[in-house]
Each structure stands twice: as structure tokens, then as C-alpha cells.
């Protein structure tokens, strides 16, 4: 990456943050601006009572749905954490943002992107975050008005001896197995423990404290809470396991991969093999099946984890009520993607199928006319950015690519012809492909394209008019006029073109040049995190530079470093130069 381009990006980034900080300190134009409670739940499929799941025990989410609007056909843009959240939070489709996979932070793809909380801060909001809102390794401190606070000490929830179990299993693994150095504890646990001693309960305590604190302030708040469960491992206090008889839970051990589909359409369930008691978990294509006992254990863990999170959401909603904030607070509940629980003989996410792209979405807001009524038209998580702006009465930025759902909040049939597009990147042997799934009211149409050229390699089509079980790919026998119409719809938002995985911010070190040092002097009031960026655009392990300290790093010409402060006032991109020099990092808002 040319040095001149890096400095230009750094200048633009600093200018944007300086302007946004100045605007954020302006008083709100309207003291009655509503608060925002923004609740994300990781890996949550619509396994909720309000979505018709008779086995679920989710009274608090169900109550929220009764006083809000439940979207029955809400879809994520990518069925895996990082790109799904990055798209929602920036208002940009994955192809526009350039984020499709887990490792790359969206700031390397688009350093000057304006996130949802950043936009609200421009209108006087105080934005505070807890838990997993962005992808865990990349919390994006510049999005928030306050540094993200650390958790108090919590428990893992495992019984004694779990570390020894991991070591024993690792010793038995063959040389070269990646889990020799990366194996996790058991996939489920039911400790007899208080809610607040596990991570999600502890964070709930912090959110309640912030509701009490921010609710007394003059500025409206944008308070985000990202729950980890029901992401693996499924650990919840035993009292939530006791809500269920595992023998009555539905289990699937006879699922089948959909026939006549490309090999890259289905995910491999590899996520479960990270856990010490599931290292041999079968792929969907294996003749070997998950036993019924294991399937019941996993189902039990998932449902117990969902009930644990439901209880925490209930605590948060009760705190809103106790502070007399319910009537002036918009509550959004969403998940980043769905999850397979044996469907297609798969477990996990990471496909373009309905089971993985469909998510719960509930919006409760003052004054909406469609309370308690479902919306059945397809919508996208991308739509949340403009929807929240319109609900709050602030400007919708011109860069967002979703559309406001406010008409549907007032009339459930306002957009009967709506559609949603999801996508998934896959690399299988020599095939590097991007699949696009168009969901209309009646069909799911999938087009798989070569990643670098955009050439169509395979297609799928599923009919949803009779039922939502995507078990038969009917593309071969489908009406050509229908396929042509669906293709035209898809091309309107996702034209066929080649894509590039490496983001604009990446290193290009010259191996034939001698090493140089790059020195960073921290003249801010916050710790600096200095990330080396790989040639693929990924962040390496951060070096921490304390206030008034200097850090020297061995580097090469062409290397790139991203510098962020914990308080969010700094985001800069630098490259070592010759002769060597020290880069002084100063904050753009020393009062923050």
C-alpha cells in the first residue's frame, strides 16, 4: 500500500473524528428525543414462544413482542458474526463494505465508515456499549461516547477438572492437529450458580446501572447490550435447564443434505469440533450420525441458554420501567444470524438457507400503530439503521442502503413486495465463490458466482408458498419466466462483478529492505492499541502504549499499523518510513 495513500487516509480519519466529536458535544435539538435500547443476541434463531416455538420458555421476549412489532421474515446479510454485524452497524451491504468473513475488521475495509451509534452521537445521543455488538475482537471504540468498561470477575461455569480434560484430549490428538493449541472446554454446562456470576448476567448488571445513570441525564441515550448466549458453549445456570424435560424437546438425527445442490452450499458443522467433548462431531455428509442422546443434550443446552438470556432481558426491561423510561424508549431486539439444530444434518450457521439467515427481530417504539401484530414481508437487518433514525426523528444519512421499516410498523402490509438478500462466501478446494440468496414472499433464489469474476457457477430455487422447508432444489424444473424475474430482482441490488478479499488497508512489506523502527509516542489521556496489519488485511496482536509512553516496533518499509485509543478519540493508519522517526499520537478531543 503506497505511503502517500496511508497518510491521506490517516488525515481523513482524523478530520472525520474531530468533526464528529465536536458535533457530538452540541446540545440535542429536541430534549424529548427518545432513548434507544439496542439488544443483540448471538446465534439466536426464532426459537421463541412469540415465534410459535411451543417448547421455548421466553416470557420476557414474548411480552416485548406483544407491545411491539414482530418481523416474521427478518434476514441477516451474512450468516456469520463479523460481516453480519458490520453490515448492520454501518448501514452498508457486505459488497459495498468489503467484509464477508470473520477475520477482517470493517475499519480496514472502510476507515471512514460512520456507524449507527456514531451517527446518533451527532444528534446529541450518549452512546454506551456492553458485550458483543461488533465482533468480539473488534469492538470499535470510536463508535461510543465512553470507553467500553471491563467486566467484574465472572465464572466459566464448568465443573472442576475441565482443564485437565482438555490437556488429556490434546495429548491424544495427532501431530499437526490445530486443536493441539486451540481446544475449548465442554460444549455444555449447567452450574448451580447465580445469574450475575456468568458473563451475560454480569453485563446485565452493568446495563441496569447505566439505565439508572443515563436515565437521569439530560441527553438521550443509545444503550447497546450484546448477549453472548446462545453462542457456544451452552452454559447457563441449572435452574434454566430445569425448565425443560429433554425427552420432550424436538431432535433431528435423520436430516439430509439437500440433494442436487453445489458442494459449497452447506456448512460443515466444524464449529462444534472446537469443544473437548465433540472433537469428532460428524459433518453433514458423514454416514455417521449424531446420537439421539447427544442431540438431546445439545437441544437442552440451546433452549436453556435462550431462557437464561430471556431472564436477563426481563431484568433490563424491568429497570426501564422502574426508571419511568419505558414510554420514551425505543427497544430493538435482534440476532446476527440463525442456527441449525440438526436441520440438513447440520449444526451451526454459515449457509444461505432460511434456517441460517432468518433471525428474530422485534421493534417496540412509542406511538407505533401496529403493536402486537406480525409483519410477514421479508426485511433485512440492514433496514435497522434508517428505521431507528426515522423513529428517533433524526436525519437518515444518504449512505445507508437499507430502507426504513416505519411504514410496516404502522401497517403490516405496507410493503407486500419487499425482499431480502443474504450472501455467503465459501472457499472449497479450488473454488472460491460468493452465493447470493434472494428471499421474496414466495421463493428463495440462490445464485453462486465465482468470487473474482462474478461468473455464475450454480443456482438454487426453493418454493415457500406451501411450507418453509427448503428440502428440494427445483431450479431445473422451474418456470423460466419465474427464474428470469428473480434473477432481475437480484441483479438490481447485487450485479455480477468480481470481488477482492484484501481490504484497502493492508501491508505490503518489502522483504529485501532492511528493518526499520516505527515509534509511537502517546500524548493522549488513554491507552493506545497498536495493531500490525497483515498483507491479507487482518489485525495482528495489539501492542499497548500507555499515556506519556513511547513504543518502538521493529518493522519494514511497506508495513502498516492501525492505532486506536481505548476511549475512541484516535483512529490512525501509519507506515514506517526511512529515515526512522517518532509518530506523536494526540487526541482530537482531550475533554472526552
Amino acid at each position: 500500500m503506497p505511503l502517500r495513500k496511508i497518510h491521506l487516509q490517516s488525515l481523513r480519519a482524523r478530520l472525520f473524528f474531530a468533526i464528529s466529536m465536536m458535533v457530538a458535544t452540541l446540545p440535542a435539538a429536541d430534549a424529548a428525543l427518545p432513548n434507544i435500547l439496542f439488544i443483540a443476541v448471538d446465534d439466536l434463531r426464532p426459537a421463541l414462544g412469540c415465534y410459535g416455538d411451543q417448547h421455548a420458555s421466553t416470557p420476557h421476549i414474548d411480552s416485548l413482542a406483544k407491545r411491539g412489532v414482530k418481523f416474521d421474515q427478518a434476514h441477516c446479510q451474512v450468516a456469520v458474526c463479523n460481516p453480519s454485524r458490520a453490515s448492520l452497524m454501518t448501514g452498508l451491504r457486505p459488497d459495498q463494505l468489503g467484509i464477508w468473513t470473520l477475520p477482517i475488521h470493517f475499519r480496514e475495509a472502510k476507515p471512514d465508515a460512520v456507524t449507527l451509534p456514531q451517527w446518533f452521537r451527532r444528534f446529541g445521543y450518549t452512546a454506551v456499549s456492553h458485550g458483543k455488538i461488533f465482533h468480539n475482537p473488534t469492538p470499535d471504540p470510536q463508535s461510543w461516547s465512553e470507553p467500553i468498561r471491563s467486566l467484574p470477575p465472572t465464572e466459566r461455569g464448568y465443573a472442576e477438572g475441565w482443564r485437565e480434560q482438555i490437556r488429556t484430549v490434546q495429548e491424544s490428538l495427532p501431530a499437526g492437529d490445530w486443536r493441539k493449541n486451540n481446544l475449548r472446554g465442554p460444549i455444555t454446562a449447567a452450574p448451580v450458580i447465580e445469574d450475575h456470576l456468568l458473563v451475560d448476567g454480569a453485563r446485565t448488571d452493568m446495563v441496569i446501572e447505566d439505565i439508572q445513570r443515563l436515565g437521569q441525564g439530560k441527553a438521550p441515550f443509545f444503550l447497546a447490550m450484546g448477549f453472548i448466549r446462545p453462542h457456544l458453549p451452552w452454559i447457563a445456570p441449572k435452574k434454566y435447564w430445569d425448565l425443560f424435560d429433554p425427552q420432550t424437546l424436538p431432535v433431528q438425527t435423520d436430516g439430509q443434505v439437500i440433494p442436487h445442490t453445489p458442494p459449497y452450499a452447506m456448512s460443515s458443522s466444524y464449529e462444534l469440533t472446537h469443544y473437548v467433548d465433540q472433537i469428532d462431531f460428524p459433518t453433514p455428509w458423514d454416514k455417521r450420525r449424531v446420537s439421539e442422546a447427544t442431540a438431546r443434550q445439545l437441544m437442552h443446552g440451546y433452549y436453556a441458554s435462550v431462557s437464561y438470556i430471556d431472564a436477563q432481558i426481563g431484568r433490563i426491561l424491568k429497570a426501564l420501567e422502574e426508571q419511568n423510561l419505558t414510554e420514551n424508549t425505543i427497544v430493538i431486539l435482534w440476532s446476527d444470524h440463525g442456527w441449525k439444530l440438526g436441520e440438513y444434518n447440520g449444526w451451526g450457521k454459515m449457509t444461505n438457507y432460511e434456517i441460517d439467515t432468518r433471525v428474530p427481530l422485534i421493534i417496540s417504539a412509542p406511538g407505533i400503530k401496529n403493536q402486537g401484530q406480525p409483519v410477514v414481508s421479508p426485511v433485512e437487518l440492514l433496514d435497522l439503521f434508517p428505521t431507528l433514525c426515522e423513529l428517533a426523528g433524526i436525519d437518515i444519512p444518504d449512505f445507508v442502503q437499507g430502507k426504513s421499516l416505519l411504514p410496516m410498523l404502522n401497517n403490516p402490509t405496507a410493503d407486500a413486495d419487499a425482499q431480502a438478500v443474504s450472501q455467503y462466501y465459501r472457499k472449497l478446494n479450488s473454488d472460491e465463490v460468493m452465493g447470493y440468496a434472494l428471499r421474496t414472499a414466495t421463493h428463495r433464489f440462490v445464485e453462486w458466482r465465482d468470487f473474482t469474476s462474478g461468473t455464475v457457477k450454480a443456482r438454487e430455487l426453493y418454493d415457500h408458498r406451501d411450507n418453509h422447508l427448503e428440502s428440494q432444489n427445483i431450479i431445473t424444473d422451474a418456470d423460466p419466466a419465474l427464474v428470469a424475474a428473480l434473477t432481475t430482482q437480484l441483479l438490481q441490488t447485487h450485479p455480477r462483478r468480481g470481488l477482492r478479499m484484501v481490504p484497502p488497508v493492508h501491508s505490503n512489506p518489502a522483504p529485501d529492505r532492511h528493518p526499520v523502527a516505527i515509534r509511537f509516542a502517546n500524548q493522549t489521556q488513554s491507552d493506545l492499541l497498536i495493531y500490525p496489519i497483515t498483507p491479507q488485511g487482518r489485525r495482528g496482536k495489539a501492542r499497548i502504549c500507555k499515556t506519556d509512553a513511547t513504543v518502538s516496533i521493529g518493522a519494514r518499509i511497506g508495513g502498516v499499523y492501525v492505532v486506536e485509543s481505548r476511549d475512541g478519540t484516535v483512529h490512525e493508519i501509519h507506515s514506517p518510513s526511512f529515515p526512522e522517526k517518532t509518530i506523536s499520537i494526540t487526541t482530537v478531543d482531550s475533554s472526552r
Side-chain angles (χ1 to χ4, degrees):
M1 185 175 185
L3 183 59
R4 182 178 300 174
K5 186 174 182 180
I6 294 170
H7 286 318
L8 181 59
Q9 286 179 330
S10 178
L11 178 62
R12 288 204 314 265
R14 294 190 63 146
L15 180 60
F16 163 74
F17 286 113
I19 294 172
S20 67
M21 291 301 102
M22 288 188 292
V23 174
T25 60
L26 295 176
D30 182 357
L33 284 173
N35 302 309
I36 311 289
L37 178 58
F38 191 72
I39 302 174
V41 187
D42 203 348
D43 282 12
L44 179 64
R45 62 192 251 160
L48 304 167
C50 56
Y51 278 87
D53 191 322
Q54 298 179 357
H55 301 278
S57 178
T58 52
H60 304 291
I61 297 176
D62 298 347
S63 177
L64 178 65
K66 288 179 181 178
R67 75 166 196 249
V69 174
K70 170 176 65 78
F71 290 82
D72 282 346
Q73 280 294 325
H75 293 268
C76 66
Q77 272 43 76
V78 183
V80 73
C81 304
N82 183 44
S84 174
R85 293 164 183 265
S87 176
L88 184 159
M89 296 298 288
T90 61
L92 300 174
R93 294 195 180 278
D95 286 359
Q96 178 72 20
L97 185 58
I99 295 297
W100 306 283
T101 60
L102 287 175
I104 298 174
H105 185 22
F106 74 89
R107 291 287 177 198
E108 275 65 86
K110 196 171 282 291
D112 298 338
V114 180
T115 66
L116 181 58
Q118 278 180 303
W119 185 255
F120 271 74
R121 288 172 60 199
R122 292 188 179 192
F123 295 87
Y125 277 79
T126 299
V128 178
S129 177
H130 297 279
K132 186 176 179 180
I133 298 298
F134 295 94
H135 192 41
N136 272 342
T138 51
D140 199 52
Q142 53 267 48
S143 284
W144 310 106
S145 304
E146 303 174 359
I148 297 173
R149 304 202 301 277
S150 299
L151 270 174
T154 58
E155 302 289 337
R156 297 293 293 269
Y158 286 132
E160 290 185 11
W162 66 276
R163 290 186 175 85
E164 291 75 11
Q165 182 184 3
I166 289 176
R167 284 195 289 268
T168 299
V169 172
Q170 284 179 322
E171 290 172 359
S172 69
L173 293 172
D177 191 304
W178 57 272
R179 291 165 298 188
K180 281 281 193 183
N181 299 306
N182 185 17
L183 188 60
R184 301 170 187 173
I187 203 165
T188 62
V192 178
I193 196 171
E194 295 297 321
D195 289 12
H196 70 276
L197 294 178
L198 295 177
V199 168
D200 286 314
R203 287 198 172 112
T204 297
D205 286 351
M206 298 172 74
V207 171
I208 292 172
E209 291 171 0
D210 278 338
I211 288 174
Q212 296 166 346
R213 173 175 64 94
L214 298 172
Q216 301 302 314
K218 295 182 179 180
F221 61 75
F222 185 110
L223 180 57
M225 172 59 195
F227 290 102
I228 298 297
R229 301 292 174 260
H231 191 288
L232 293 172
W234 291 324
I235 302 175
K238 185 176 180 298
K239 62 184 177 181
Y240 298 105
W241 290 74
D242 291 343
L243 294 174
F244 305 94
D245 176 357
Q247 298 306 311
T248 66
L249 293 175
V251 298
Q252 297 188 46
T253 58
D254 58 352
Q256 302 292 330
V257 175
I258 303 172
H260 312 299
T261 54
Y264 33 77
M266 187 60 184
S267 53
S268 66
S269 304
Y270 86 95
E271 185 177 2
L272 284 79
T273 67
H274 288 68
Y275 296 88
V276 67
D277 53 345
Q278 301 295 334
I279 59 171
D280 295 321
F281 201 88
T283 72
W285 302 275
D286 284 351
K287 293 181 180 179
R288 181 169 51 94
R289 296 283 169 157
V290 175
S291 70
E292 181 174 331
T294 296
R296 291 201 181 280
Q297 172 198 358
L298 298 178
M299 291 292 286
H300 198 178
Y302 188 87
Y303 276 84
S305 296
V306 172
S307 291
Y308 171 51
I309 297 307
D310 177 78
Q312 309 318 305
I313 291 172
R315 294 174 59 209
I316 293 173
L317 296 177
K318 182 180 179 181
L320 269 185
E321 185 176 351
E322 290 175 344
Q323 297 298 312
N324 297 316
L325 297 171
T326 301
E327 296 304 317
N328 193 41
T329 300
I330 299 166
V331 181
I332 307 286
L333 186 145
W334 58 277
S335 176
D336 50 357
H337 44 71
W339 226 85
K340 292 181 293 297
L341 290 169
E343 291 86 359
Y344 314 124
N345 199 32
W347 294 75
K349 54 252 188 188
M350 305 181 185
T351 76
N352 273 324
Y353 295 131
E354 184 106 344
I355 196 68
D356 288 350
T357 69
R358 181 172 173 247
V359 298
L361 174 61
I362 299 171
I363 300 177
S364 174
I368 60 174
K369 300 177 181 178
N370 191 30
Q371 287 181 332
Q373 300 298 314
V375 172
V376 299
S377 299
V379 301
E380 302 176 304
L381 290 183
L382 194 70
D383 298 330
L384 282 180
F385 201 135
T387 301
L388 275 174
C389 291
E390 194 162 16
L391 283 172
I394 66 175
D395 295 341
I396 299 175
D398 57 9
F399 58 78
V400 297
Q401 295 182 291
K403 61 183 178 181
S404 173
L405 301 176
L406 185 57
M408 294 184 184
L409 292 173
N410 292 321
N411 177 3
T413 61
D415 192 357
D417 295 326
Q419 63 186 46
V421 179
S422 305
Q423 61 188 99
Y424 204 83
Y425 165 84
R426 191 89 70 197
K427 187 172 184 179
L428 182 65
N429 300 325
S430 60
D431 279 337
E432 188 176 14
V433 294
M434 181 69 78
Y436 297 89
L438 171 73
R439 180 60 159 92
T440 69
T442 58
H443 290 84
R444 174 175 294 269
F445 173 64
V446 184
E447 189 171 89
W448 291 94
R449 304 172 188 169
D450 180 85
F451 185 77
T452 56
S453 70
T455 303
V456 176
K457 297 176 68 68
R459 295 183 299 177
E460 301 173 73
L461 180 61
Y462 302 93
D463 193 333
H464 280 263
R465 286 174 292 187
D466 292 330
N467 62 68
H468 295 310
L469 297 177
E470 296 176 343
S471 58
Q472 184 178 6
N473 178 14
I474 62 172
I475 190 68
T476 302
D477 301 321
D479 180 357
L482 171 64
V483 175
L486 293 171
T487 301
T488 299
Q489 284 182 261
L490 178 61
L491 291 177
Q492 288 175 353
T493 55
H494 293 78
R496 293 169 184 155
R497 62 184 180 89
L499 303 171
R500 186 171 183 265
M501 183 62 69
V502 177
V505 178
H506 64 278
S507 65
N508 187 22
D512 57 337
R513 298 291 295 272
H514 65 277
V516 297
I518 182 169
R519 289 187 291 271
F520 296 95
N522 184 357
Q523 298 178 8
T524 78
Q525 300 303 307
S526 173
D527 288 350
L528 295 178
L529 302 176
I530 305 168
Y531 297 94
I533 305 299
T534 72
Q536 293 77 34
R538 302 179 181 183
R539 293 189 176 191
K541 185 176 181 180
R543 289 281 299 272
I544 298 176
C545 184
K546 299 288 186 180
T547 299
D548 295 328
T550 298
V551 166
S552 181
I553 300 174
R556 292 184 183 275
I557 300 297
V560 173
Y561 294 83
V562 168
V563 182
E564 289 182 347
S565 60
R566 289 194 191 276
D567 67 3
T569 59
V570 173
H571 178 265
E572 298 183 5
I573 304 164
H574 294 282
S575 185
S577 61
F578 191 83
E580 302 168 8
K581 64 178 182 180
T582 298
I583 299 169
S584 295
I585 307 296
T586 58
T587 183
V588 296
D589 181 11
S590 60
S591 65
R592 181 173 171 181

